[in-house]
Amino acid sequence: MKKILLHPDLKKQIAKEFVVTTQTVDMSLKYVFDSVTAKKIRFRAKELLKEQIVQIESVKYEIVGTQKL
């Protein structure tokens, strides 16, 4: 089953951005809905996840940069 896993805080953020309910966001991320809005919600969720990756990677490099090898 296809679905995009996203933290509840990010789901609430997306709901506010698109002026929809969190249930709509949840159903869109589970690919139950396939409307234009649902596709935009999934795209935004992927963008937010990519931002999270960048943040995590930057923390990782800060830690590695301070250690002596």
Side-chain angles (χ1 to χ4, degrees):
M1 181 167 137
K2 292 192 305 185
K3 61 182 168 181
I4 298 171
L5 302 175
L6 199 61
H7 191 275
D9 290 343
L10 294 177
K11 287 181 184 180
K12 289 177 187 175
Q13 178 183 336
I14 291 172
K16 285 182 183 179
E17 288 178 19
F18 287 93
V19 191
V20 295
T21 63
T22 52
Q23 182 178 7
T24 299
V25 173
D26 192 48
M27 299 294 272
S28 297
L29 296 177
K30 290 180 180 177
Y31 288 83
V32 173
F33 297 155
D34 199 33
S35 65
V36 173
T37 303
K39 290 176 183 178
K40 289 179 181 179
I41 288 170
R42 287 192 289 271
F43 183 81
R44 181 64 179 138
K46 291 174 188 178
E47 287 179 334
L48 291 172
L49 287 170
K50 288 177 184 178
E51 289 174 16
Q52 291 288 314
I53 291 169
V54 170
Q55 289 175 0
I56 291 168
E57 289 297 321
S58 66
V59 170
K60 178 181 159 185
Y61 289 125
E62 288 175 12
I63 292 170
V64 171
T66 60
Q67 294 177 350
K68 293 182 181 179
L69 298 176

